[in-house]
Every structure is written in C-alpha cells, then in structure tokens.
C-alpha cells in the first residue's frame, strides 16, 4: 500500500487547476477567432446551455435582490445570455453571433454601418405604420385630457395624413420620371418651381401649377415647357420684376468645362401657351454661386444678391449696376429684410452678418451692420415679420432664433439632424410653425413660439443622401382660396399632408360621443 504524500496531493491539485485554466483559455481563443460561441456555426451542448441558463438566472436573481433601481430581470437575462464581444454582432432573432467584417472586399460583409442603416429603416417603417393606424379620433381623445394645454395648431399637426398626388401635364401624361431635388413655392403658393435630377447628369426644371376644389382636393399640373441643363442648381428664389413673382432667380454651379452662372428667368418662359415669350433677362458667369436673394424693399425693388466664394454681389436687374463686397468666407445663405434694405448673410465659417444697402459707398468692413456667429456652417436663414428676430440653421443640426438687436440667441429648436448637407428651413408665422427636413430624411415641425417639437414625419421612401425630401408649407396651397397643408417631394413622387379643421371638427364630435358613452 502506497503511503499518502501531502506534497503529491498538492501537485495533483495544481495540475487540475492548470488544465482547467488551459481549457478556459482555449475556449476564449476559439471565441475570438470565430470558432466558439461567436462563430455562426457554433452550437453549445445541452449541458453547456444548462450551465449558462443557471448562471444567467442566478446572476439575474442577485442583481434584482441587490438593488431596486437596477434593470429588469429580463434585461439582465438577455445581457448575460448574449454578452457583447468586440468584432461580433449578436442577432436576437437568430440567437447567434455574426462576425463584423471591415471593408467591402469580403463576400456579404456585415458592418456596423449596415446594422445602423437596418435599424433606422426598421424605425422608419414602424413610424409609417403608426401614422397609418392612428386616427384623428384617437389623437384628439388622447389630447382631450385635462392636462392638454397646447395651441390648436398642434392638434392640426397631429392630424396631418399623407396623400399621394398625381402630377398631370397638358397632354394628360405623367411627366415626372426623375427624382425631385428642390421645390420652391411662390408668395401665393399658386405655383411651385421644381428641380429634378436627370439620370444622365445635370437637371431639369420647370413650374407646377396648383388648384383646389370645393370638395377639399388638390390638383397639380406640370408646365409643358421644361428646361434642361448639365449644371447643378444650387439655389432658387422667386423674383418680382414686373409684378409679384414674375421671374425666377437661379444659381447654377459649373461642371467640367461649363462655368457657373446666375440667371434671372421670366416665369412665362416655362409655358408654350404664351406666344410672347421674353428672353433671358439677366445672366452672368461666376465661379461658384451658393445662394441668392431678391429684395422687396421699395427703395431697391429691382435689386438681387448672390453669395459666392468669399464675395457678395449686389446687382440692379434694370440698370445692371453691380456692387461687390469681399468677405472672409463662402456665403451659403442670404435673405433680405422687407421694411429696411438690409441683407443678412450666413457663411461657411458660421458667421452671420448684415449689409445695409444704403451704405454702398464704404470700402472698409464698416458696412457690416451686425455680426454674430454659430458653431458651424450656416445653411439657411429666415427673418421674421418683426425683423428683430432671425432664424438660422447650421451643419451641426442647430436651429437658433437670434435677437438681432442684442445679437444673442433667445430660442433653440432641437431635434434637427444635419452633418454636411445644404438644407433649408421653412417658417409659417400665421400658423406659428417652423419646418425643417434633416439629413436623416425626417421632416420635423416645431412650435415657433416655444420651440416644442410637434411632429416628426418619416419619408415614404428609404432614407438616402440623394433622396432627402423637399417641402413647401402654406396656409393656402393653390392660391388665396386654396387648401392649407404640406407638400413633400421625394424621389419622383409628390405628397400632400392636409392641415385643416374639417376632419378635426368631426373627430372632436366623435371623441365627445365616445366620452359620453364611456
């Protein structure tokens, strides 16, 4: 009989510990290299799954009993059963890990960008389903609680529903086969100037005419004379030369050997039904035009401006007189005040400054009447009717309301998303609304007064950088007797979101009846 040796027993115990540690290290190595639990083909044994479940349940019980503010047991169980592994993605539907492959040279790579895009698309579809399922009655019933203390336009915004419009031309054909890029309504919103991308390069542009019926429907007709150009349209504004909105001012960016230009075109040019078509009223070549604006002040009612790279050009459309201002940055946004002849400019540097047209003779920088700054490139500016306040949006997604008198922001509208796109903002003061379409293709509406986010409308099409919706909002789409609502152009489709009180009154009556029955 062999005598028991204490040291031999210790060595045996250490060997067992060493083998156990070796097995654990090999398991971890298999996981890191895609041959363990992280590998799609890996399936744990029944005993291993039982041990994992027991471990998960014990850790969940411990976490729930140790702290009342911790996550729910289901969350702890999920995180324990599917821990995060660097370089791998766990699909809860398939209950397995997948390797995240960098680059695009692999066969069917799975990247973080693809996963984020998939999640965004899932969220967009979910919001679309919610918009279609929700009814006005439900919204009004929810907002009929005693705590409801918002303005009536917030209820209207909640009740806006999407309707697709069929665009017809003179010959009863559907002409819009190219993706919309920009739509801009005139002052009465009877007409909308459109710019569409052309598949072979460049763009085409024309005018759509809107009309409304007594039954509350909106019809749209495309003009029969479209213009094509191999240059990109960067900025548009309506101009009043002979009468309100008689012309359209375009900034065209040069491409290849074709230089850029600024053109002032009569709106009658886009209809073959007018036999007396005037030619191009004004056009001059420039390197790069980022923005344009038309002055409606009676003292300078034939003056327009163009924002260039480190320059601002003022031009009189009748006399041809030109004034050039040198600035330190690219001018991406412009807007004239109405009561005083002052032009506000937003720059790539984030600076916002104004030019008083009555001080044209000054050669130094003293013509800058006011100056203030945001943190990123300014993409759009809008002056309120009070003219003491200015709205500015930048490429960080910030939208701020500035008091021009003290050059300080007094309000900020949060939720807008922008990283590098050239995106406008839209304001409807009679309804107290601010609208902006983000680079994520969501259209957001805020209360202009208190910056409250009222509605987020997803795009009807999957989000893409070249499919960002363009919108127009008016209280009278189709003229003075038109319909209130939102126009949305995305891809080659046009949508109408009604903003009226007809169905609201019906919904209120139904909600009241439901409350009485309850």
């Amino acid at each position: 009989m062999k005598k028991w040796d204490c040291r031999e027993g210790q060595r045996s115990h250490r060997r067992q510990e060493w083998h156990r540690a070796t097995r654990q290290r090999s398991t971890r190595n298999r996981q890191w290299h895609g041959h363990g639990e992280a590998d799609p083909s890996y399936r744990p044994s029944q005993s291993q799954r039982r041990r994992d479940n027991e471990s998960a349940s014990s850790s969940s019980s411990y976490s729930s009993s140790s702290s009342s503010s911790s996550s729910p047991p289901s969350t702890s169980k999920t995180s324990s059963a599917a821990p995060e592994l660097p370089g791998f993605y766990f699909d809860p539907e398939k209950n397995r890990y997948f390797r995240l492959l960098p680059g695009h040279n692999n066969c069917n790579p799975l990247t973080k960008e693809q996963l984020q895009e998939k999640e965004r698309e899932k969220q967009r579809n979910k919001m679309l389903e919610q918009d279609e399922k929700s009814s006005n009655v439900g919204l009004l019933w929810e907002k009929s609680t005693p705590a409801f203390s918002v303005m009536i336009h917030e209820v209207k915004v909640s009740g806006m529903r999407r309707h697709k419009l069929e665009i017809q031309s003179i010959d009863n054909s559907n002409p819009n086969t190219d993706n919309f890029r920009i739509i801009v309504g005139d002052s009465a919103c009877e007409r909308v100037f459109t710019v569409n991308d052309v598949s072979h390069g460049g763009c085409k542009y024309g005018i759509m005419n809107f009309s409304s019926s007594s039954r509350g429907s909106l019809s749209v007709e495309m003009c029969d004379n479209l213009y094509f150009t191999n240059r990109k349209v960067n900025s548009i504004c309506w101009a009043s030369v002979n009468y309100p909105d008689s012309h359209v001012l375009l900034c065209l960016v040069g491409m290849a050997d074709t230089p850029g230009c600024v053109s002032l075109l009569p709106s009658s040019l886009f209809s073959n039904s007018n036999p007396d078509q005037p030619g191009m009223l004004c056009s001059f070549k420039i390197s790069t035009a980022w923005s344009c604006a038309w002055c409606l002040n009676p003292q300078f009612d034939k003056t327009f401006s163009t924002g260039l790279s480190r320059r601002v050009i003022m031009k009189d459309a009748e006399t041809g007189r030109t004034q050039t201002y040198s600035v330190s940055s690219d001018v991406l946004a412009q807007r004239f005040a109405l009561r005083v002849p002052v032009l506000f400019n937003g720059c790539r540097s984030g600076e916002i400054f104004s030019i008083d047209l009555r001080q044209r003779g000054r050669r130094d920088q003293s013509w800058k009447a006011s100056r203030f700054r945001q943190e990123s490139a300014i993409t759009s500016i809008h002056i309120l009717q009070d003219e003491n306040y200015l709205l500015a949006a930048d490429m960080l997604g910030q939208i701020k309301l500035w008091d021009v008198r003290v050059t300080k922001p007094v309000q900020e509208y949060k939720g807008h998303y922008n990283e590098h796109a050239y995106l406008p903002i839209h304001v409807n003061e009679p309804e107290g609304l601010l609208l902006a379409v983000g680079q994520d293709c969501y259209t957001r509406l805020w209360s202009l007064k208190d910056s409250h986010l009222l509605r987020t409308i997803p795009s009807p099409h999957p989000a893409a950088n070249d499919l960002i919706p363009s919108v127009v909002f008016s209280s009278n789409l189709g003229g003075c007797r038109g319909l209130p609502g939102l126009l949305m152009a995305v891809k080659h489709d046009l949508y109408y979101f009604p903003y009226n009180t007809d169905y609201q009154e019906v919904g209120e009556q139904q909600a009241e009846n439901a409350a009485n029955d309850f």
Side-chain angles (χ1 to χ4, degrees):
M1 182 176 180
K2 189 175 179 180
K3 184 179 295 184
W4 168 257
D5 191 348
C6 179
R7 287 174 296 182
E8 182 66 25
Q10 292 177 353
R11 283 195 296 266
S12 176
H13 178 71
R14 284 196 295 268
R15 281 195 298 270
Q16 293 177 1
E17 291 293 333
W18 181 83
H19 286 301
R20 185 181 298 107
T22 303
R23 286 195 299 271
Q24 292 176 353
R25 283 195 299 270
S26 63
T27 302
R28 285 196 297 268
N29 291 336
R30 287 196 303 272
Q31 292 177 358
W32 283 106
H33 294 286
H35 301 294
E37 291 182 350
D39 194 284
S41 61
Y42 173 79
R43 289 291 185 273
S45 62
Q46 184 176 0
S47 59
Q48 180 65 31
R49 287 196 299 267
R50 185 168 57 253
R51 287 195 298 268
D52 292 342
N53 293 334
E54 291 175 356
S55 176
S57 60
S58 60
S59 61
S60 174
S61 302
Y62 174 76
S63 59
S64 60
S65 59
S66 59
S67 174
S68 59
S69 61
S70 60
S71 302
S74 59
T75 304
S76 302
K77 189 177 297 184
T78 303
S79 61
S80 300
E84 292 186 5
L85 298 178
F88 294 93
Y89 158 71
F90 181 79
D91 191 331
E93 296 178 358
K94 298 182 179 180
N95 194 28
R96 56 196 291 187
Y97 284 90
F98 292 91
R99 186 193 300 274
L100 292 175
L101 300 178
H104 59 278
N105 296 323
N106 300 285
C107 180
N108 297 324
L110 186 64
T111 63
K112 290 183 178 180
E113 291 76 13
Q114 289 177 334
L115 295 174
Q116 293 173 356
E117 183 179 354
K118 180 181 178 182
E119 185 62 28
R120 287 194 296 266
E121 181 63 14
K122 183 179 179 181
Q123 182 67 20
R124 186 189 70 86
N125 290 326
K126 183 178 179 181
M127 293 184 66
L128 286 175
E129 292 178 1
Q130 290 176 351
D131 281 348
E132 293 177 358
K133 290 180 180 179
S134 60
S135 63
N136 299 323
V137 177
L139 288 168
L140 288 168
W141 174 250
E142 178 184 355
K143 292 181 177 293
S144 298
T145 58
F148 175 66
S149 59
V150 296
M151 300 175 63
I152 185 62
H153 68 256
E154 297 190 8
V155 182
K156 296 181 184 179
V157 168
S158 301
M160 293 165 60
R161 293 294 174 265
R162 184 178 71 251
H163 303 277
K164 188 174 181 179
L165 295 177
E166 295 296 334
I167 305 174
Q168 299 296 327
S169 63
I170 299 298
D171 56 357
N172 295 325
S173 63
N174 195 339
N176 64 325
T177 57
D178 299 302
N179 293 340
F180 282 104
R181 187 172 178 270
I182 306 173
I183 60 172
V184 180
D186 63 6
S187 58
C189 265
E190 292 179 335
R191 300 167 296 170
V192 172
F193 192 86
T194 68
V195 178
N196 294 68
D197 290 327
V198 181
S199 57
H200 56 76
C203 62
K204 67 178 182 181
Y205 45 88
I207 291 178
M208 292 189 301
N209 296 303
F210 286 83
S211 61
S212 61
S213 67
S214 58
R215 292 180 296 178
S217 61
L218 192 67
S219 61
V220 53
E221 185 180 78
M222 176 65 76
C223 66
D224 54 342
N225 191 14
L226 297 175
Y227 271 68
F228 293 83
T229 177
N230 60 347
R231 291 173 288 195
K232 175 184 175 183
V233 178
N234 221 16
S235 182
I236 306 169
C237 72
W238 287 85
S240 302
V241 181
N242 304 325
Y243 53 87
D245 304 318
S246 62
H247 290 69
V248 180
L249 185 62
L250 296 172
C251 290
L252 302 175
V253 181
M255 298 179 65
D257 297 332
T258 306
C261 70
V262 175
S263 300
L264 185 62
L265 306 177
S267 58
S268 58
L269 195 67
F270 298 94
S271 176
N272 287 331
S273 59
N274 185 5
D276 301 325
Q277 291 185 15
M280 187 176 297
L281 182 62
C282 179
S283 180
F284 59 94
K285 296 180 180 180
I286 42 87
S287 56
T288 302
W290 294 104
S291 57
C292 59
W294 184 266
C295 184
L296 294 174
N297 184 272
Q299 293 180 263
F300 300 89
D301 59 346
K302 300 295 189 297
T303 300
F304 66 90
S305 67
T306 306
L308 311 176
S309 297
R310 301 179 181 274
R311 283 187 300 161
V312 174
I313 293 180
M314 298 274 192
K315 196 173 185 69
D316 191 299
E318 284 189 336
T319 64
R321 179 185 176 184
T322 303
Q323 180 78 21
T324 302
Y325 299 85
S326 297
V327 296
S328 59
S329 181
D330 300 339
V331 180
L332 304 183
Q334 292 183 312
R335 180 77 65 160
F336 277 100
L338 178 60
R339 292 186 297 183
V340 292
V342 173
L343 172 68
F344 286 88
N345 304 267
C347 299
R348 189 182 298 276
S349 62
E351 181 186 17
I352 302 172
F353 67 90
S354 61
I355 300 176
D356 194 330
L357 274 64
R358 296 165 293 188
Q359 300 177 357
R360 285 184 171 182
R362 299 187 180 184
R363 295 183 178 180
D364 55 2
Q365 294 285 325
S366 60
W367 43 260
K368 290 188 176 182
S370 60
R371 303 173 65 178
F372 44 96
R373 182 183 296 272
Q374 290 193 186
E375 289 77 9
S376 184
I378 305 298
T379 62
S380 181
I381 55 178
H382 185 92
I383 303 170
L384 300 187
Q385 294 177 359
D386 184 272
E387 296 195 0
N388 290 321
Y389 298 94
L390 177 143
L391 280 160
D394 60 30
M395 289 190 182
L396 286 178
Q398 299 180 103
I399 302 178
K400 295 183 179 181
L401 178 65
W402 291 83
D403 190 328
V404 179
R405 297 164 296 184
V406 294
T407 63
K408 290 184 178 180
V410 295
Q411 197 78 265
E412 184 171 359
Y413 303 83
K414 298 183 179 180
H416 183 52
Y417 177 77
N418 190 12
E419 290 183 339
H420 56 76
Y422 191 65
L423 301 175
I425 57 176
H426 311 271
V427 177
N428 188 290
E429 287 196 62
E431 299 293 343
L433 296 176
L434 167 66
L435 299 90
V437 181
Q439 198 173 343
D440 54 358
C441 298
Y442 284 90
T443 303
R444 294 175 174 87
L445 295 88
W446 292 268
S447 170
L448 187 62
K449 182 178 181 181
D450 58 9
S451 71
H452 178 65
L453 181 61
L454 305 175
R455 177 84 181 269
T456 300
I457 302 176
S459 172
H461 295 275
N465 288 333
D466 58 343
L467 293 179
I468 298 177
S470 182
V471 300
V472 169
F473 187 91
S474 174
S475 300
N476 303 98
L477 290 173
C480 60
R481 296 184 178 180
L483 301 175
L486 170 71
L487 284 178
M488 176 185 293
V490 56
K491 207 170 181 180
H492 51 265
D493 298 325
L494 189 66
Y495 300 92
Y496 168 56
F497 294 77
Y499 178 87
N500 54 45
T501 57
D502 296 340
Y503 56 85
Q504 298 288 344
E505 294 175 356
V506 175
E508 288 177 353
Q509 184 63 39
Q510 293 178 354
E512 183 178 354
N513 295 337
N516 294 333
D517 295 340
F518 180 78

